[in-house]
Amino acid sequence: RLLIISCGSAAVSILVTVLTRPARMNALADFYRRTRPVGVWEVVRKYSRAQGQVTPTPERIARPLAGWLWGVMLVVGLTLAIGYTVLLNAPAAAFWYLVTIGGAVGLWKSGFLKTHA
């Protein structure tokens, strides 16, 4: 079943990608300025510069990767902590609550929980 679901999902995703119009370049430029994603965004940066817009320099991979790791710790830790709490397995629940707290503190200290106006 998993193979059928995975292949079907991939096929639908590829089909939708091919059959729909790409996003407007100005929308992509706005998204890039707000989020500064890692990856191959050079075309969008060049477009923004040609429009006279200030474009932030791309971020190195280390910081977003650390944010991803802290986020995984938070989400998976909390999911498993709640599960073990429901199952009344206190030692395992305590461990996963500590992992959750570690993920939250890591996100907070790294500045990922700050909001930008």
Side-chain angles (χ1 to χ4, degrees):
R1 273 198 208 160
L2 182 61
L3 184 61
I4 292 169
I5 292 170
S6 298
C7 291
S9 297
V12 169
S13 298
I14 291 169
L15 188 64
V16 168
T17 301
V18 171
L19 294 178
T20 57
R21 280 188 234 170
R24 295 181 330 270
M25 189 59 80
N26 58 354
L28 291 173
D30 183 48
F31 172 78
Y32 180 81
R33 276 191 308 282
R34 285 186 287 119
T35 61
R36 293 185 305 161
V38 177
V40 288
W41 288 84
E42 187 59 33
V43 172
V44 175
R45 283 193 299 273
K46 284 181 182 177
Y47 171 83
S48 293
R49 283 188 219 112
Q51 300 299 314
Q53 299 168 347
V54 176
T55 57
T57 56
E59 214 171 312
R60 296 195 180 269
I61 189 71
R63 186 172 187 283
L65 193 57
W68 172 81
L69 181 61
W70 295 126
V72 167
M73 285 175 62
L74 177 79
V75 172
V76 172
L78 188 57
T79 301
L80 293 176
I82 291 170
Y84 281 117
T85 300
V86 169
L87 294 174
L88 303 176
N89 186 339
F95 171 77
W96 288 109
Y97 279 119
L98 289 174
V99 170
T100 300
I101 292 167
V105 168
L107 284 170
W108 177 65
K109 287 203 171 244
S110 299
F112 287 102
L113 297 181
K114 293 179 184 174
T115 58
H116 301 282

